[in-house]
Every structure is written in C-alpha cells, then in structure tokens.
Amino acid sequence: MPPQPQQYGVPQQQQYGAPQQQQLPYGAPQQPYAAAYSPYAAAGATRPSSVLSILSLVGSLVGVLAVLVTFGAGVVFSIAAVVLGHIASRREGHARRLWLPGIIVGYAGIALAVIIWVAIGVFFASVPGGSSGTFDGGYGQS
C-alpha cells in the first residue's frame, strides 16, 4: 500500500537533528535583523606597542658590533639606542625587559667607542717621529 499523502494544514514532522524553527503567527512582532548576530567579531584587547623598546635593543646590539668593526664609528647606533631606550622607558613601561638592556648595552657601546678612540690617539701619539713640530721629509734627518 503506497503511503498516504499528508492532508492540507497538517504540520509535517521535522527530520531528526534538523533545526527546529517556530513559525510566528502572521502580524506578530519579529526580531530585528541586526540583533541576531554581528558579522564582524568584536575586537579584543590589544597589546600595547613595544616598537621603541625593540628598536632600542636592536640598535644597541648593532651599535656595539659596529663600534668594534669600524673602530668607533658605529657609535651612532649606540647613541640612537640610548635615546630610543629613554623615550621607551617613559612611553612603554610594560616593555622594561626590552628597553633596559637596550639602554645598558647602548651606554656600553658608547663607552667602548670612547675607549677605542683614546687608544687610537695614544697609539698615534706614541709612534716615533709622530709630531715633532718640524717636517723633515719623512727621513728622520736633523
């Protein structure tokens, strides 16, 4: 015997696991569309920026290496690292683990450059026949 077609007006049964929706009677107030969900997720709490602190640390490391390689000319990086570190200490207090080593290593790079410059000055001042005040053509004859 074939299944009997359902009669008009008789509700059909939902399939197992299918979402169930209730029909609102005609003319009943409906839920506004925007209240269902927002298609954009709410932005979470953002972490504060640590850019200056990172630049201070990287600049100080580059500065120390540049001071050693260029006989003190890389002190510019160390000075920049110290300045950025002090600015970061006021603006980015939460990133102390980045700006504090940047300041310390930056000052060490500046001190190393000064030591290298003094050593170069002492070296050239102690070279025999360096600056006797007279020019003898470089042959050392008096």
Side-chain angles (χ1 to χ4, degrees), residues 3-12:
Q4 295 286 333
Q6 292 195 1
Q7 294 181 356
Y8 182 77
V10 176
Q12 295 180 347

Side-chain angles (χ1 to χ4, degrees), residues 132 134-142:
S132 61
T134 60
F135 180 72
D136 59 1
Y139 297 109
Q141 298 173 359
S142 300

Side-chain angles (χ1 to χ4, degrees), residues 54-81:
I54 293 170
L55 288 175
S56 171
L57 182 60
V58 171
S60 66
L61 295 174
V62 169
V64 167
L65 293 175
V67 162
L68 292 173
V69 172
T70 63
F71 301 108
V75 73
V76 174
F77 293 105
S78 294
I79 292 171

Side-chain angles (χ1 to χ4, degrees), residues 10-79:
V10 176
Q12 295 180 347
Q13 277 190 333
Q14 295 279 335
Q15 294 276 343
Y16 177 74
Q20 298 197 4
Q21 299 177 352
Q22 291 188 358
Q23 296 288 335
L24 296 175
Y26 183 75
Q30 294 184 355
Q31 185 176 10
Y33 292 112
Y37 72 97
S38 175
Y40 303 105
T46 58
R47 293 181 50 201
S49 173
S50 300
V51 174
L52 293 174
S53 302
I54 293 170
L55 288 175
S56 171
L57 182 60
V58 171
S60 66
L61 295 174
V62 169
V64 167
L65 293 175
V67 162
L68 292 173
V69 172
T70 63
F71 301 108
V75 73
V76 174
F77 293 105
S78 294
I79 292 171

